[in-house]
């Protein structure tokens, strides 16, 4: 008789408490949806706009079959004082957190010659510094109930843009690709640093998924159909893809997965350039 646990027990998050940054829309909303459907008792979502958080929470709490609830805690996590306030707000409602999906992110596109320091600061601050500061402030909450057999989880959202695929030309995203490579490495560093507290840290590196942030770039690079046809598996990302991987990385099934980056792009990062240009044919940087 095999000692393997029942499969539903391996791939669910019963009674777990989760936090999703950037949970009001896009990939963060897919993550929050997946976590509620897989059994979380509470999923706190945050973004800057209180009304967007409220709307998302309303939609999440009306999903059929969920037993937990979504809770809105708006905050601008690009600001250290807001991270502190956000964590204090969480502590008013819970004494621990099992899963942190550090997902909020921003991008900036401009021609090489007109790049300014502020484009670096905005993107690096939210995509890298705030991830570190949030994990640091939340470590006591994440460590509270974490054990060898039931570790807590940090999941960061990086991007295949941090592996391969460099948007150039009029929309060169220098700080974005650098920030995503940085957050992948930061996640591995956190996996080592937080191992004694029994917190596993992994990163998801998505390719193109339709979202408010990605839609403009998707249009610039030929539209969804074009990008889908170019991709190895013939499509771009959909809601299920992100939700399913977040649930896996939060569930018992991934209890021995630590410090990895999982590309979620149908294999696109293995060939060519995710931005639709063939190898060696990137447009010349405008000076
Ligand atoms: N979609 C893709 O193709 C793709 C591919 C690779 C990686 N990613 C990554 O996936 C993550 C989510 O992106 P998305 O595509 O889902 O974009 P999105 O739809 O624009 O969502 C971004 C989320 O982050 C929130 N946010 C932005 N700035 C914030 C701040 N300072 N404090 C708190 N929340 C903030 C936004 O809400 P507010 O505006 O209300 O603050 C929103 O909820 C990002 O890290 C992105 O880099 C996306």
């Amino acid at each position: 008789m095999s000692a393997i646990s029942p499969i539903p027990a391996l791939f669910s998050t019963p009674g777990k408490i989760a936090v999703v940054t950037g949970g009001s829309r896009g990939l963060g909303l897919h993550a929050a949806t997946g976590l509620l459907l897989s059994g979380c008792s509470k999923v706190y979502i945050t973004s800057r706009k209180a009304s967007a958080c409220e709307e998302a929470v309303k939609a999440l709490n009306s999903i059929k079959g969920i037993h937990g609830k979504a809770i809105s805690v708006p905050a601008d996590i690009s600001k250290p004082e807001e991270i502190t306030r956000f964590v204090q707000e969480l502590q008013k409602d819970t004494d621990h957190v099992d899963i942190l999906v550090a997902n909020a992110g921003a991008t900036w596109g401009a021609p090489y010659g007109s790049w300014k320091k502020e484009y670096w600061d905005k993107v690096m601050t939210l995509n890298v510094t705030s991830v570190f500061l949030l994990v640091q402030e939340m470590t006591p909450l994440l460590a509270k109930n974490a054990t060898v057999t039931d570790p807590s989880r940090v999941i960061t959202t990086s991007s295949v843009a941090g592996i391969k695929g460099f948007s150039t030309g009029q929309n060169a995203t220098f700080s974005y690709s650098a920030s995503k490579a940085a957050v992948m490495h930061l996640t591995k560093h956190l996996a080592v640093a937080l191992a004694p507290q029994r917190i596993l840290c992994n990163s998801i590196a998505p390719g193109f998924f339709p979202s408010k942030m990605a839609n403009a770039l998707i249009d610039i690079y030929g539209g969804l159909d074009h990008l889908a046809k170019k991709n190895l598996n013939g499509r771009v990302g959909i809601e299920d893809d992100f939700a399913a991987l977040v649930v896996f990385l939060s569930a018992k099934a991934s209890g021995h997965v630590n410090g990895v980056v999982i590309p979620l792009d149908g294999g696109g990062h293995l060939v060519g350039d995710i931005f639709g240009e063939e190898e060696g044919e990137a447009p010349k940087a405008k000076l």
Side-chain angles (χ1 to χ4, degrees), residues 9-32:
L10 285 177
F11 292 93
S12 58
T13 57
K16 296 295 182 192
I17 296 185
V19 169
V20 181
T21 72
S24 65
R25 62 172 191 255
L27 298 184
L29 188 57
H30 309 333

Side-chain angles (χ1 to χ4, degrees), residues 49-266:
K49 291 185 202 87
S51 57
C53 282
E54 281 307 328
E55 228 172 275
V57 157
K58 220 167 130 191
L60 287 165
N61 287 333
S62 66
I63 296 171
K64 284 203 172 62
I66 62 165
H67 300 296
K69 62 175 176 173
I71 299 163
S72 155
V73 186
D76 181 348
I77 56 155
S78 68
K79 298 180 175 149
E81 66 278 13
E82 277 280 280
I83 291 178
T84 303
R85 185 186 61 77
F86 173 66
V87 176
Q88 285 167 352
E89 290 295 319
L90 291 178
Q91 283 166 325
K92 287 180 193 165
D93 202 54
T94 181
D95 68 349
H96 76 283
V97 171
D98 303 295
I99 301 153
L100 165 62
V101 185
N103 164 80
T107 188
W108 200 291
Y112 172 68
S114 56
W115 259 76
K116 293 186 172 62
K117 182 176 176 295
E118 69 195 76
Y119 310 164
W120 282 95
D121 293 347
K122 180 186 154 74
V123 173
M124 297 301 279
T125 299
L126 181 62
N127 294 9
V128 188
T129 314
S130 81
V131 172
F132 177 78
L133 294 178
L134 181 65
V135 173
Q136 188 190 37
E137 290 238 14
M138 283 188 58
T139 295
L141 284 172
L142 286 160
K144 177 92 183 345
N145 284 4
T147 64
V148 168
T149 52
D150 192 8
S152 288
R153 316 297 172 99
V154 170
I155 301 165
T156 62
T157 306
S158 50
S159 169
V160 288
I163 302 172
K164 185 173 183 181
F166 306 108
S167 178
T168 53
Q170 294 302 303
N171 280 283
T173 49
F174 296 105
S175 56
Y176 185 75
S177 55
S179 75
K180 293 303 184 180
V183 81
M184 286 175 198
H185 210 64
L186 172 63
T187 306
K188 294 180 188 187
H189 202 150
L190 289 170
V192 175
L194 302 184
Q197 281 102 324
R198 306 305 175 202
I199 301 168
L200 308 182
C201 303
N202 295 293
S203 190
I204 300 175
F208 276 123
F209 281 69
S211 77
K212 188 173 180 199
M213 180 195 291
N215 287 348
L217 260 191
I218 288 172
D219 285 347
I220 288 168
Y221 286 100
L224 275 182
D225 286 351
H226 173 73
L227 291 172
K229 276 193 203 113
K230 270 189 79 92
N231 204 5
L232 280 190
N233 69 340
R235 66 175 178 86
V236 297
I238 58 170
E239 288 95 325
D240 281 358
D241 299 325
F242 195 73
L245 190 48
V246 167
V247 169
F248 168 69
L249 288 175
S250 304
K252 196 175 176 192
S254 64
H256 206 45
V257 178
N258 196 14
V260 305
V261 175
I262 304 182
L264 184 63
D265 70 339

